[in-house]
Amino acid sequence: MSGIADVAALAGVSKSTASRALTGGGYVSDGTRQRVVDAARVIGYVASPNAASLVTGRTKNVGVIIPFVNRWYFGEVLEGIEDALLAGDYDLTLYNVRPGTTSRERIFDHFLARKRFDGIITIGIEPSPRELERLVSLDRPVVALGGQVPGISSVSIDDVAVSRLATEHLIGLGHSRIVHVGGERAEDASSSVHGRRLAGYVEAMEAAGLGEHILYVPSDMSVPGGYAAGVLVIGDPRRRPTAISAASDEVAVGTIIAARRTGLEVPGDLSVVGVDGHEYAEMFSLTTVEQSPRDQGTAIVELLLDALEGSGTPVQVLLHPTRLVVRSSTSRPRPDGATRA
Amino acid sequence: MSGIADVAALAGVSKSTASRALTGGGYVSDGTRQRVVDAARVIGYVASPNAASLVTGRTKNVGVIIPFVNRWYFGEVLEGIEDALLAGDYDLTLYNVRPGTTSRERIFDHFLARKRFDGIITIGIEPSPRELERLVSLDRPVVALGGQVPGISSVSIDDVAVSRLATEHLIGLGHSRIVHVGGERAEDASSSVHGRRLAGYVEAMEAAGLGEHILYVPSDMSVPGGYAAGVLVIGDPRRRPTAISAASDEVAVGTIIAARRTGLEVPGDLSVVGVDGHEYAEMFSLTTVEQSPRDQGTAIVELLLDALEGSGTPVQVLLHPTRLVVRSSTSRPRPDGATRA
DNA sequence: GTGAAAGCGCTAACAG
DNA sequence: CTGTTAGCGCTTTCAC
């Protein structure tokens, strides 16, 4: 329960000098500073951030708005962000706006309005106009990871390019009957990850003159989702492809599990490529486009801290690098063109 | 930027009356209260929690100390906790003390000392004596989920019983060559989840007179971990079992993937049972002991809010219910007693 | 039932 | 370089 007054008393200086010595504000002689710092350490003093922020207006805290915690990409990003924030001496307040929950509205209207943070990081959030207005009204820097918003700095990957690359890899191996698993109706194309990755697949197919083979099956961005879609795709022999371009690694893994369970060989009967760089990718020898979410977490924090502490930086839109990692879940299609099972 | 003074002015009362009307403190006439509440809504007033906590000492914020975000059990628990806290009008500050990170010490020594919270929830943390001392010195209620600490209220499952139950299920089917995947050396028995689940397996084996068959293979509590261990167990024909009792569903899933990849049938050649109630369990038809982590999150929040708001409750140690869910990943051992592959 | 005044723990002017 | 003074936005005695 020791306050700065105790530190000051022990060091034999005034509260303000103690404050300056500890926060590094104005001029303090080296000797005095040392005595104050020592005194603080002796009684284990840690400033109350509440009191401090009341006067400075800064909280040393960042709000993170995230739709899921328990999906690989999001969990990974969150851990990356937490690490980077700790390094910058910031606390992290979590706002979990799981879709389909009534709490989303409450978070935007009530919890965010408390302004417990110096800035906000949104992850994979496509805010509605009303939500965007709320965000802006907070009068704090906002940065976005994945899903850019006009006027807001962001880090994201080129979802279209990533999926195009994945599909091109399969085309390059000689596949033509390639199904995309994960897409949604094309109208949403640019507004969702699903849609953009579908668009990349379509682009690659059309560019290769395979437009007639375009086919996509919707799926949740999860292993069970990919499994269900995989069962569908594989179950129908008439449209069973020789390759699958999945919207994410989780989806890809799900389809591989479904395929192997059906007795198909992966690769051989079926080649699968995913997107993400998921921790399961290696176990499944999954060919994938890595996007290193943890690094993205670090990058987005950097952007926010820049806005918070740096000299007025303009809006930045960063494209995070990705790379195709080829593993043995993809191969040339079988010469006879027929599946084994 | 509107403060309570603006609300008071608009309602035609003093700041103190406005405060009472909004926080429900002392006596306010119904008419006045209504006018104040209306005024607050009109200008979109939300009290600054910083200023409020400076005087009340309460922050309406809870700290959550968690080792992982991106493991299924932990992610699920975290989402459950977040939901429950929001319902109670609390914010959640995340402290991610990933093992093997240098930040763990920093969190205990520095970040927690800021006391930005009214209470703390630890998840699967076995605090060292020094850490425990830190925790206690915060002078705030602490509750623990999984891994009880003397003097601290907790919610947990009976890890020993759970694993015993899983193993007994296999024994009941007629298996005797049952390997446990996930355990650690027995000396740690009671101090870690790994150890306790190993102990449950051992208990069941010994009780059934199968002591000579006791065998365990260490593994990370993850799918890749279970996969690696599975490869090991299956690869050695001499000690290849007819059944596996896994320390968790992630481990179980990993071993199933390894087994199927090797050409073994699950069930048939191999029966596998896990623990957790993982979202993949259904996809793999995995027999498992469900422990519903999300509900545990709700339960632990309830315990903390009790300590925070309720009438001085004594230390409570709650055992969360679990149940065996039998699915078709387990069956009687093959009559001939030999594996197919 | 309501208002005036004090003060939570800290930092930021402003003198000296 | 250091101490004194004021005040961040709110809740809470304490009079009225």
Side-chain angles (χ1 to χ4, degrees):
Chain A
M1 219 41 175
S2 53
I4 199 172
D6 304 300
V7 177
L10 185 60
V13 296
S14 71
K15 283 199 313 178
S16 39
T17 302
S19 173
R20 275 187 299 251
L22 293 171
T23 55
Y27 299 97
V28 188
S29 75
D30 284 350
T32 309
R33 158 166 294 117
Q34 197 51 56
R35 267 186 300 131
V36 172
V37 169
D38 287 348
R41 215 167 23 83
V42 165
I43 55 180
Y45 168 78
V46 175
S48 152
N50 276 338
S53 48
L54 194 55
V55 40
T56 60
R58 323 224 28 228
T59 62
K60 278 292 180 180
N61 185 41
V62 166
V64 173
I65 308 181
I66 197 168
F68 311 96
V69 156
N70 215 359
R71 289 253 188 273
W72 185 78
Y73 167 81
F74 293 96
E76 208 65 11
V77 157
L78 183 55
E79 291 197 350
I81 289 177
E82 163 86 355
D83 278 0
L85 285 180
L86 289 197
D89 201 32
Y90 281 83
D91 281 310
L92 145 22
T93 296
L94 185 70
Y95 299 103
N96 186 197
V97 295
R98 202 154 51 273
T101 320
T102 54
S103 56
R104 177 162 178 144
E105 199 178 339
R106 223 165 133 250
I107 287 179
F108 276 93
D109 291 354
H110 175 72
F111 286 95
L112 294 185
R114 289 179 172 171
K115 302 194 192 185
R116 289 201 121 122
F117 37 74
D118 295 332
I120 285 275
I121 298 175
T122 70
I123 308 176
I125 300 284
E126 320 271 357
S128 71
R130 215 179 61 76
E131 288 169 352
L132 184 57
E133 190 252 320
R134 290 284 183 191
L135 242 32
V136 170
S137 77
L138 294 175
D139 201 35
R140 303 258 187 290
V142 178
V143 297
L145 180 54
Q148 50 269 67
V149 179
I152 287 181
S153 287
S154 65
V155 169
S156 52
I157 62 169
D158 185 336
D159 285 303
V160 177
V162 146
S163 185
R164 196 187 328 109
L165 185 63
T167 308
E168 282 168 355
H169 167 71
L170 291 168
I171 294 171
L173 285 171
H175 293 275
S176 54
R177 286 162 52 214
I178 305 169
V179 168
H180 181 74
V181 176
E184 277 170 353
R185 265 191 302 292
E187 299 123 53
D188 314 303
S190 66
S191 74
S192 76
V193 174
H194 268 105
R196 289 190 297 269
R197 296 199 183 163
L198 169 58
Y201 157 80
V202 169
E203 276 185 22
M205 292 295 276
E206 285 179 341
L210 296 173
E212 56 183 323
H213 287 295
I214 289 174
L215 186 63
Y216 47 88
V217 177
S219 160
D220 229 31
M221 280 286 198
S222 67
V223 176
Y227 179 81
V231 167
L232 224 77
V233 171
I234 293 158
D236 181 351
R238 289 199 336 176
R239 64 176 188 183
R240 183 186 296 167
T242 65
I244 287 178
S245 147
S248 80
D249 282 348
E250 299 188 71
V251 170
V253 163
T255 63
I256 292 179
I257 293 170
R260 288 198 176 140
R261 239 190 143 167
T262 316
L264 295 185
E265 279 177 7
V266 178
D269 297 321
L270 191 71
S271 290
V272 179
V273 52
V275 170
D276 269 359
H278 194 288
E279 59 172 340
Y280 293 1
E282 205 170 333
M283 195 175 97
F284 282 92
S285 303
L286 182 65
T287 292
T288 184
V289 183
E290 280 191 357
Q291 64 157 318
S292 39
R294 195 174 285 266
D295 293 344
Q296 291 181 41
T298 308
I300 195 67
V301 166
E302 222 162 278
L303 224 53
L304 181 60
L305 296 196
D306 244 44
L308 250 32
E309 305 172 346
S311 41
T313 331
V315 172
Q316 294 185 57
V317 175
L318 265 44
L319 230 47
H320 201 79
T322 56
R323 69 192 184 98
L324 181 71
V325 179
V326 178
R327 293 202 190 84
S328 59
S329 58
T330 53
S331 66
R332 309 189 62 77
R334 287 203 189 285
D336 52 22
T339 58
R340 205 190 49 151
Chain B
M1 221 37 174
S2 52
I4 197 172
D6 303 300
V7 177
L10 185 61
V13 297
S14 70
K15 284 198 314 177
S16 34
T17 302
S19 173
R20 274 187 298 252
L22 293 171
T23 54
Y27 298 97
V28 188
S29 76
D30 284 350
T32 308
R33 157 167 293 116
Q34 197 51 54
R35 268 185 301 129
V36 172
V37 169
D38 287 348
R41 216 168 21 84
V42 165
I43 54 182
Y45 169 78
V46 175
S48 152
N50 276 337
S53 47
L54 195 55
V55 39
T56 60
R58 323 223 29 227
T59 62
K60 277 289 179 186
N61 185 42
V62 166
V64 173
I65 307 180
I66 196 168
F68 311 96
V69 155
N70 215 359
R71 289 255 188 272
W72 185 78
Y73 168 81
F74 293 96
E76 208 66 9
V77 158
L78 183 55
E79 291 197 352
I81 288 178
E82 163 86 356
D83 279 359
L85 285 180
L86 288 197
D89 200 32
Y90 281 82
D91 282 309
L92 145 24
T93 296
L94 186 68
Y95 299 104
N96 186 198
V97 295
R98 201 153 50 273
T101 320
T102 55
S103 56
R104 177 162 178 145
E105 200 178 338
R106 221 164 135 252
I107 287 179
F108 276 94
D109 290 353
H110 176 72
F111 285 95
L112 293 185
R114 290 180 172 171
K115 302 192 192 186
R116 290 203 121 123
F117 36 75
D118 295 332
I120 285 276
I121 299 175
T122 70
I123 308 176
I125 301 284
E126 320 271 358
S128 70
R130 216 180 60 79
E131 288 169 352
L132 185 57
E133 190 252 321
R134 290 283 183 193
L135 242 33
V136 169
S137 77
L138 295 175
D139 202 36
R140 304 257 186 292
V142 178
V143 298
L145 180 54
Q148 48 271 69
V149 178
I152 288 181
S153 287
S154 65
V155 169
S156 52
I157 63 170
D158 185 336
D159 285 303
V160 177
V162 147
S163 184
R164 198 190 323 114
L165 185 63
T167 308
E168 283 168 354
H169 167 71
L170 291 168
I171 294 171
L173 286 170
H175 293 274
S176 54
R177 285 162 52 214
I178 306 170
V179 169
H180 180 74
V181 177
E184 276 171 352
R185 264 193 301 293
E187 300 121 53
D188 313 304
S190 66
S191 76
S192 76
V193 175
H194 269 104
R196 289 191 295 269
R197 295 199 184 163
L198 170 57
Y201 156 81
V202 169
E203 275 186 21
M205 292 295 276
E206 285 179 341
L210 297 172
E212 56 183 322
H213 287 294
I214 289 175
L215 186 62
Y216 48 89
V217 177
S219 160
D220 229 32
M221 280 286 197
S222 67
V223 177
Y227 179 81
V231 168
L232 223 77
V233 171
I234 294 159
D236 181 351
R238 288 200 336 176
R239 64 176 187 181
R240 184 185 295 166
T242 64
I244 287 177
S245 146
S248 81
D249 282 348
E250 300 187 67
V251 170
V253 164
T255 62
I256 291 179
I257 292 170
R260 288 200 176 137
R261 238 191 143 167
T262 315
L264 295 185
E265 279 177 7
V266 178
D269 296 321
L270 191 70
S271 291
V272 179
V273 53
V275 170
D276 269 359
H278 193 287
E279 59 173 339
Y280 293 2
E282 205 169 333
M283 195 175 97
F284 282 91
S285 301
L286 182 64
T287 293
T288 184
V289 183
E290 281 191 355
Q291 63 158 319
S292 38
R294 196 174 284 266
D295 293 345
Q296 290 181 42
T298 308
I300 195 67
V301 166
E302 220 162 280
L303 223 53
L304 181 61
L305 296 196
D306 244 44
L308 250 33
E309 305 171 346
S311 41
T313 333
V315 173
Q316 294 185 57
V317 176
L318 265 44
L319 230 47
H320 202 80
T322 56
R323 68 192 184 101
L324 180 71
V325 178
V326 178
R327 293 203 189 82
S328 58
S329 57
T330 53
S331 66
R332 308 189 62 76
R334 288 204 189 284
D336 52 24
T339 58
R340 205 191 49 151

